Amino acid sequence: MKKLLLVEDNEMNRDMLSRRLARRGYEIVVATDGSQGVAEATRHLPDLIIMAMSLPVLDGWESTRALKEQPETRSIPVLALTAHAMAGERERALEAGCNDYDTKPVDFTRLLGKIETLLSGSTA
C-alpha cells in the first residue's frame, strides 16, 4: 500500500481528499500546516506528498524547499495543490521543488492521474 502525506489546512479539503484517497487504497498521513508537514514527511517517509501551498506556520513553497534540502526526504515527489491558478504559479511551485502542480477546486480524477503518474516514477 502506497503512503501519501496530505498537507492541507482546509478541513473540508483534507477530509474529502483523505477519505477518497483511502478508498482508492492509499494509506493517508495528514498534516495541517507546513511545519507539521515537514515533520510528518521526515517521520513517515511517504511515497508522495500532496502539498497545499497557502499554509499556516510555514507555507507550501518553504516546506517543499525544506524537504528537498533533507537527504531523507529529497527524493519524495511533491504535488503542489493550490487555489493560485494565475500565470506563473505552476513555475513557482516547480522552482520550489514540487514535481507537479494541480489547482483547487480539486478535480479528483485529474488529481488521481497526477498522483499515479508521480508514483510510477514518471515526470510531469
Side-chain angles (χ1 to χ4, degrees):
M1 178 182 294
K2 297 286 186 178
K3 185 184 300 182
L4 307 181
L5 170 60
L6 175 61
V7 187
E8 172 62 70
D9 63 321
N10 179 286
E11 186 177 355
M12 284 180 33
N13 287 341
R14 194 172 57 240
D15 183 57
M16 180 272 295
L17 285 171
S18 61
R19 284 186 297 112
R20 291 186 78 181
L21 290 167
R23 280 197 301 261
R24 293 289 183 146
Y26 295 108
E27 178 183 347
I28 307 299
V29 176
V30 173
T32 58
D33 65 55
S35 180
Q36 184 184 39
V38 172
E40 292 298 314
T42 304
R43 181 170 163 228
H44 292 281
L45 299 175
D47 297 290
L48 179 123
I49 300 167
I50 301 169
M51 179 75 71
M53 301 313 278
S54 294
L55 293 166
V57 184
L58 190 64
D59 69 33
W61 294 278
E62 289 302 315
S63 300
T64 300
R65 284 186 194 98
L67 290 167
K68 296 302 180 174
E69 289 173 1
Q70 296 181 51
E72 61 273 19
T73 56
R74 180 176 295 138
S75 64
I76 300 171
V78 177
L79 175 58
L81 188 59
T82 181
H84 298 279
M86 295 180 297
E89 289 298 327
R90 182 178 196 281
E91 290 73 21
R92 183 176 175 207
L94 297 177
E95 285 172 7
C98 295
N99 300 81
D100 201 356
Y101 167 93
D102 205 5
T103 57
K104 296 176 186 176
V106 174
D107 174 330
F108 189 73
T109 302
R110 183 181 64 214
L111 180 67
L112 196 57
K114 290 182 180 221
I115 290 168
E116 291 168 357
T117 297
L118 288 170
L119 287 173
S120 74
S122 302
T123 54

